[in-house]
Amino acid sequence: MKFVSIIIGSKSDFSVMTECANTLDKFGVLHELIISSAHRSPARTHDYVKGAEERGCHVFICAAGMAAHLAGAVAAMTIKPVIGVPMKGGAMDGMDAMLSTVQMPSGMPVATVAMGKAGAINSAYLAMQILSLEDNDLKVKLEEDRILKSKKVESDSVDVEIRL
Ligand code: RP5
């Protein structure tokens, strides 16, 4: 069964990453979420990634803060697409996590999205866009979502606009 795996490095990442899970829920995309750390539980991370691949995981979303090696470590274990979400916090408020996540060596890509809530939501959208390459129903839902977003810009503008 095709699904998306969300791995978060700590329980402290959970509240932001519920935005990712909620977005996948909204589109009816199967997903699961676990806590596993590249540093604190490397063996668990490895075993989980291998097991998830066998069970049908198509995309991994990895969220971590500080010296955030989770997405990169997962990318080293699989050729499935890996999306990295840098978490804010720590002494550098996420800049360290962003650089750790985005600066992968050649041949080992991690698709890094924005920090925080926007990144959590965009990680879900990016995962769904990947799945939609082989899922026409999902493609249609994503296209409809774009139309709704565009219409909302127009209706929001009508609410506030001042014309001379
Ligand atoms: C990372 O360190 C986690 O992903 C989290 O963002 C950060 C802090 O973790 P805690 O000390 O709050 O567990 O590994």
Side-chain angles (χ1 to χ4, degrees):
M1 200 170 21
K2 199 188 300 185
F3 69 95
V4 174
S5 163
I6 306 165
I7 312 175
I8 61 177
S10 165
K11 196 174 179 183
S12 61
D13 302 321
F14 182 70
S15 63
V16 171
M17 288 308 290
T18 54
E19 301 281 353
C20 170
N22 291 343
T23 305
L24 293 169
D25 265 338
K26 198 171 110 186
F27 287 83
V29 172
L30 281 180
H31 58 277
E32 62 185 30
L33 181 151
I34 71 155
I35 300 173
S36 197
S37 166
H39 300 127
R40 292 169 175 158
S41 62
R44 170 180 162 78
T45 302
H46 177 270
D47 293 349
Y48 170 75
V49 170
K50 291 296 164 194
E53 271 192 321
E54 278 172 23
R55 290 184 293 109
C57 175
H58 269 44
V59 183
F60 289 92
I61 295 173
C62 303
M66 300 177 76
H69 293 123
L70 183 58
V74 171
M77 297 168 192
T78 181
I79 57 165
K80 297 279 189 282
V82 176
I83 301 169
V85 191
M87 293 286 102
K88 284 174 79 73
M92 296 180 173
D93 203 21
M95 190 59 78
D96 42 5
M98 188 177 73
L99 294 175
S100 301
T101 306
V102 76
Q103 288 289 18
M104 288 294 291
S106 65
M108 306 298 298
V110 166
T112 306
V113 293
M115 280 190 272
K117 180 179 170 182
I121 293 170
N122 279 347
S123 68
Y125 272 94
L126 183 53
M128 292 191 290
Q129 288 176 207
I130 292 166
L131 295 178
S132 76
L133 293 171
E134 292 180 346
D135 182 336
N136 199 56
D137 290 347
L138 185 55
K139 178 174 172 278
V140 169
K141 285 184 195 174
L142 290 168
E143 286 167 347
E144 287 169 354
D145 182 71
R146 286 283 172 102
I147 293 166
L148 285 178
K149 282 183 165 55
S150 170
K151 284 186 174 157
K152 184 165 184 324
V153 171
E154 288 170 36
S155 65
D156 283 351
S157 182
V158 168
D159 283 346
V160 301
E161 66 191 37
I162 299 165
R163 288 170 185 261
L164 298 178

